[in-house]
Amino acid sequence: MGVKTLPSRVHRTHPGVLAAALALILLGLWCARDLLYESYTLVALPFFWKRHARSFYLSAAHDGFDVTFANYSATQTSAAPFPDLVPPVLHHISLGSGAATHSKWTEVRQSCLDAHPGWDAFLWTDETADALVAEHFPALRDMWMAYRFPIQKIDALRYMVLYHYGGVVLDMDLQCKRAFGPLRRFEFVAPAAHPTGFSIGFMMASKGNEYVGRLVDSLRRYNRHWLGLPYPTVMFSTGCHYASTIHAFHPNRTSLKILAGPRSQPRMHNLNGPVSTPLFNHLGSSSWHSYDAAMIVGLGKHHGRKLPIVFGVGVAVGFLVIRRVRRRRG
Ligand SMILES: *[C@@H]1O[C@H](CO)[C@@H](O)[C@H](O)[C@H]1NC(C)=O
């Protein structure tokens, strides 16, 4: 028996073919550059969030601020002697469900109005929200109307009212325990979330704030059906992950303050689930108006019909790739 020589399967590939393939790949990358950049920023958030954290996490050392609020009067509605950068305006958003008229939420909201006597107070409903978007953000109106999930409309509206009026945006299930005066000296404040980013259920900002403007302006770029799945779509297009990503990639985050507890109790201001913080009683996910519940309810209406398809295609592609690689090696 002679030694068998394997038939040579090595074909010389014409350099022109290689060049064309390379050009195609580059063209593809170029066409997908926005998607690639946005995906990169969203995925990179956990790695970038804490960069320069000392400059924007509120603290006694850096800002002379008492994050426990123990040293501030519960009725302090101004930052005096510091200038008030945040105007005296409260915003609540109640789209769709008719919760605006539900007595429980009226009472919870009233606690915040009572803590801030004399402040302007907006309760944004379907009609007033639509009018605001049409009048002041006409370029975004079609997109805003077409959002697939109700919570996306609410989230986008938070940034728009905050940009246009400034003030404080509050979820309907936040019962106020004290006035926000001490925080008004900062041009932007939001409570830390765990493990990264911040919650958008409570935000304070100056009118026409540059960062909040970025949140409004970037809505269109990030408006994708991320992975074809409801949860990432909401979080990445308008939700906390979106806002935190824009924060993380802001060139100067110094004045975009994040409110967290002292080192001994870093989660003091987190608004996950039913909790009591120095500022709020968060009535939490038993209610439609908690952020989590609103999202689940909202998503439930559009239960992910695409999910099995995306998953199936993913598994199939993975399987084919692995088989190919194995065959080549074999
Ligand atoms: C960032 O902003 C702060 C004020 O918000 C300013 O004092 C600081 O100089 C800025 N840093 C840079 C690098 O521009």
Side-chain angles (χ1 to χ4, degrees):
M1 278 207 214
V3 180
K4 266 190 187 168
T5 46
L6 286 168
S8 167
R9 281 214 252 146
V10 183
H11 304 290
R12 281 265 166 83
T13 311
H14 193 277
V17 176
L18 278 181
L22 189 64
L24 266 180
I25 290 170
L26 288 176
L27 184 68
L29 289 176
W30 174 253
C31 291
R33 67 192 183 282
D34 287 346
L35 174 64
L36 290 173
Y37 174 75
E38 287 134 26
S39 308
Y40 159 70
T41 58
L42 290 166
V43 169
L45 174 66
F47 308 102
F48 284 95
W49 175 252
K50 289 278 179 140
R51 251 191 338 177
H52 312 305
R54 223 179 279 178
S55 71
F56 63 85
Y57 268 67
L58 283 176
S59 68
H62 193 270
D63 311 283
F65 192 85
D66 174 19
V67 292
T68 68
F69 287 77
N71 292 323
Y72 303 121
S73 155
T75 58
Q76 184 186 333
T77 54
S78 164
F82 298 95
D84 285 321
L85 301 185
V86 175
V89 186
L90 301 174
H91 302 274
H92 287 86
I93 300 175
S94 180
L95 303 185
S97 70
T101 55
H102 193 296
S103 64
K104 180 174 180 190
W105 303 118
T106 310
E107 270 170 42
V108 174
R109 174 172 178 260
Q110 191 62 41
S111 68
C112 296
L113 272 50
D114 290 345
H116 301 88
W119 286 32
D120 285 340
F122 289 89
L123 178 57
W124 295 98
T125 60
D126 289 310
E127 296 80 48
T128 55
D130 187 24
L132 173 102
V133 177
E135 189 178 347
H136 299 293
F137 303 93
L140 296 178
R141 181 156 183 250
D142 288 348
M143 180 187 73
W144 185 75
M145 295 291 282
Y147 273 133
R148 194 192 300 198
F149 305 109
I151 191 73
Q152 290 177 294
K153 288 182 81 172
I154 294 176
D155 288 348
L157 195 67
R158 292 176 208 269
Y159 311 134
M160 294 189 212
V161 298
L162 209 51
Y163 183 73
H164 188 71
Y165 292 92
V168 187
V169 175
L170 294 156
D171 264 357
M172 291 292 281
D173 63 346
L174 292 173
Q175 189 173 45
C176 291
K177 292 163 71 172
R178 56 162 53 249
F180 305 132
L183 291 167
R184 290 178 67 192
R185 56 185 261 218
F186 306 109
E187 67 172 67
F188 177 88
V189 186
H194 182 79
T196 50
F198 64 87
S199 298
I200 58 175
F202 164 56
M203 289 183 286
M204 298 176 59
S206 56
K207 182 180 163 134
N209 181 266
E210 187 268 344
Y211 162 68
V212 179
R214 282 182 190 231
L215 288 178
V216 174
D217 289 341
S218 307
L219 285 170
R220 191 178 290 289
R221 296 192 61 176
Y222 284 80
N223 181 28
R224 299 176 187 275
H225 293 156
W226 290 100
L227 310 175
L229 304 175
Y231 188 88
T233 294
V234 171
M235 291 312 281
F236 295 172
S237 66
T238 58
C240 301
H241 198 102
Y242 164 76
S244 302
T245 298
I246 306 294
H247 189 293
F249 284 84
H250 193 282
N252 186 351
R253 307 163 76 187
T254 307
S255 60
L256 311 176
K257 299 300 186 189
I258 297 300
L259 177 61
R263 190 161 294 204
S264 57
Q265 217 186 327
R267 297 201 206 174
M268 178 181 260
H269 289 283
N270 283 26
L271 293 174
N272 308 38
V275 289
S276 186
T277 75
L279 294 170
F280 303 109
N281 289 318
H282 184 221
L283 302 187
S285 53
S286 58
S287 72
W288 194 93
H289 282 272
S290 92
Y291 190 85
D292 299 340
M295 195 147 107
I296 290 160
V297 170
L299 300 182
K301 289 178 189 153
H302 303 259
H303 55 92
R305 253 169 298 170
K306 273 194 188 161
L307 180 92
I309 300 174
V310 172
F311 187 72
V313 169
V315 168
V317 168
F319 179 75
L320 287 175
V321 167
I322 288 169
R323 212 172 59 165
R324 263 237 145 122
V325 170
R326 281 210 178 143
R327 272 202 189 160
R328 286 237 172 117
R329 286 194 185 152

